[in-house]
Amino acid sequence: MTQVTSTSATEPAQVWDVFVRLFHWLLVACIGFGWWSGEQGGEWMEWHMRSGYTVLGLVLFRLLWGFAGTPFARFRQFVRSPIAVWRYASDLVRNRASVYHGHNPLGGWMVVALLLLCAAQAGTGLFANDEIFTEGPLVHLISYDLSVEITRWHETLFDLLLVAIALHLAGVLLHQLGKREPLLQAMLHGRKPGAKADRTVSRVWLRGLVAIAAAAFSVWALLSL
């Protein structure tokens, strides 16, 4: 596990690799577009479903990247014990929390929660129907009544996802504005001050492309059922 240190005045080093950053902003775009296209209905529902497939592929990629990615992208680096989370939260309230180069303990579990909610949201969409024109690609595998019930879950899960996103944004603003941590900038260019340079970040292209291909194939195979 990466050592926790305070941010220093050293030259910023690469923390988030290009695949983590692309994943992050593509997920933001797909969730936003999925919400908008779903509200429009009609012919936009086809694009709504495509955004859902993309979200599912992004989540699958991030799960793979959590084991095969660069050090700060791996789950073992930021998924910490409940005791560590409690201690960090207590220190945060007292304004004495340590600065993490990657995800802090609370942020790490927020990543897990968002991934699970996005997976559930996209997954239920595969079995949903609007009882008029639009049906998910796997609705034929279940009964009509169950599909209607899953559609209700699909709508409820989106509300939960919005709550989680709001909490995530609140945490980002707290650290960005209150603690002066350049979180947004780091998710754009990948660098954070005080981080130890990691040479493996520049050698991730092959693993990243393999993970993308595996995620895309998994979604295609799922939709082909």
Side-chain angles (χ1 to χ4, degrees), residues 122-146:
T124 53
L126 299 176
F127 300 92
N129 77 85
D130 63 1
E131 301 183 72
I132 304 176
F133 300 112
T134 307
E135 294 182 340
L138 301 185
V139 72
H140 63 279
L141 297 177
I142 60 176
S143 68
Y144 177 79
D145 290 340
L146 181 55

Side-chain angles (χ1 to χ4, degrees):
M1 185 174 294
T2 303
Q3 180 69 33
V4 179
T5 61
S6 294
T7 301
S8 66
T10 58
E11 188 71 18
Q14 197 80 4
V15 170
W16 304 122
D17 62 71
V18 64
F19 294 105
V20 168
R21 287 176 279 143
L22 285 174
F23 159 81
H24 180 273
W25 295 115
L26 284 173
L27 187 62
V28 170
C30 286
I31 291 174
F33 180 75
W35 168 80
W36 180 84
S37 56
E39 289 294 311
Q40 303 309 303
E43 295 181 356
W44 284 104
M45 289 304 296
E46 186 66 30
W47 287 98
H48 175 78
M49 292 192 293
R50 289 172 182 170
S51 68
Y53 307 154
T54 306
V55 167
L56 190 58
L58 287 169
V59 170
L60 289 173
F61 164 80
R62 189 62 183 90
L63 292 176
L64 292 172
W65 207 235
F67 297 99
T70 51
F72 285 105
R74 297 187 182 188
F75 295 125
R76 68 182 183 185
Q77 193 278 330
F78 62 82
V79 178
R80 296 177 172 87
S81 69
I83 293 177
V85 174
W86 175 257
R87 287 175 178 169
Y88 178 81
S90 298
D91 288 342
L92 187 63
V93 170
R94 296 179 176 88
N95 198 32
R96 63 184 189 188
S98 299
V99 174
Y100 286 71
H101 296 141
H103 294 297
N104 63 57
L106 278 174
W109 279 104
M110 179 55 72
V111 170
V112 173
L114 286 169
L115 287 175
L116 290 175
L117 284 170
C118 285
Q121 180 69 20
T124 53
L126 299 176
F127 300 92
N129 77 85
D130 63 1
E131 301 183 72
I132 304 176
F133 300 112
T134 307
E135 294 182 340
L138 301 185
V139 72
H140 63 279
L141 297 177
I142 60 176
S143 68
Y144 177 79
D145 290 340
L146 181 55
S147 175
V148 171
E149 184 63 27
I150 290 177
T151 303
R152 296 194 184 98
W153 301 347
H154 186 66
E155 295 170 352
T156 301
L157 281 167
F158 187 70
D159 292 335
L160 293 176
L161 179 58
L162 289 179
V163 172
I165 290 172
L167 291 173
H168 173 63
L169 291 175
V172 169
L173 289 175
L174 171 64
H175 286 268
Q176 182 79 28
L177 302 178
K179 298 176 71 64
R180 302 296 181 183
E181 295 180 41
L183 300 186
L184 290 174
Q185 296 90 324
M187 198 49 70
L188 290 171
H189 51 58
R191 299 184 299 278
K192 291 185 73 174
K196 183 179 179 181
D198 178 22
R199 296 180 180 178
T200 63
V201 172
S202 61
R203 299 196 298 267
V204 299
W205 287 99
L206 180 59
R207 280 181 293 158
L209 293 175
V210 169
I212 289 173
F217 176 79
S218 298
V219 172
W220 173 82
L222 183 62
L223 298 180
S224 300
L225 291 175

